[in-house]
Amino acid sequence: MYLRSATKFVPPARYRCLDAVERLKEQGIDIGLINKCTLNVVDEEAMTLIGTSPLVLVVEPLNRRTGLGSRFGTWLLERGFSPKYQHIGIHKEGSGGLWEHAYHQGYDPVSVMAKVKSMM
């Protein structure tokens, strides 16, 4: 699969990102979606594919400071890749675990779409 852009996500952000990617494709934006379901294992082949993409957006329902997004950017740099990079994660205080929090924390489909467009 060739990606012009890549959006990475962690469940339960999966279906929200899939929705965002499908909507972006309908708008003519060439973007892919990759599931990264472990925080401690690096897939070198996937890193090469992702690292050579023009942009990477990691979307996760984990703490923005300590989750996959903070690690993933480092992994890209360690391998000599430098696509446009951003990550969305939990950044506001409060209880977690409810579906409404995706909107409160900014990892709902509309927020993901807006972030991708701002990176282009």
Side-chain angles (χ1 to χ4, degrees), residues 5-110:
S5 304
T7 300
K8 298 248 335 138
F9 63 94
V10 175
R14 177 184 304 140
Y15 71 92
R16 293 178 177 97
C17 289
L18 179 58
D19 184 27
V21 165
E22 288 175 347
R23 291 185 197 185
L24 289 167
K25 285 184 175 188
E26 288 174 1
Q27 296 174 17
I29 297 173
D30 185 12
I31 188 160
L33 183 64
I34 298 171
N35 181 19
K36 172 70 172 147
C37 55
T38 60
L39 293 176
N40 60 347
V41 178
V42 178
D43 179 342
E44 296 299 337
E45 186 177 330
M47 290 298 290
T48 300
L49 180 67
I50 295 163
T52 56
S53 298
L55 70 87
V56 176
L57 174 62
V58 175
V59 180
E60 62 184 324
L62 304 172
N63 189 304
R64 191 176 191 291
R65 293 186 189 132
T66 60
L68 175 64
S70 61
R71 291 182 184 193
F72 203 83
T74 302
W75 292 340
L76 287 170
L77 289 173
E78 287 174 347
R79 287 155 181 80
F81 299 117
S82 56
K84 290 181 185 176
Y85 181 82
Q86 290 287 326
H87 67 284
I88 298 173
I90 304 298
H91 62 281
K92 296 179 183 176
E93 294 291 326
S95 301
L98 301 174
W99 67 269
E100 297 97 334
H101 293 175
Y103 301 91
H104 176 68
Q105 298 288 352
Y107 65 93
D108 60 284
V110 174

Side-chain angles (χ1 to χ4, degrees), residues 103-119:
Y103 301 91
H104 176 68
Q105 298 288 352
Y107 65 93
D108 60 284
V110 174
S111 297
V112 171
M113 290 171 63
K115 179 59 87 173
V116 168
K117 288 178 179 180
S118 75
M119 294 174 68

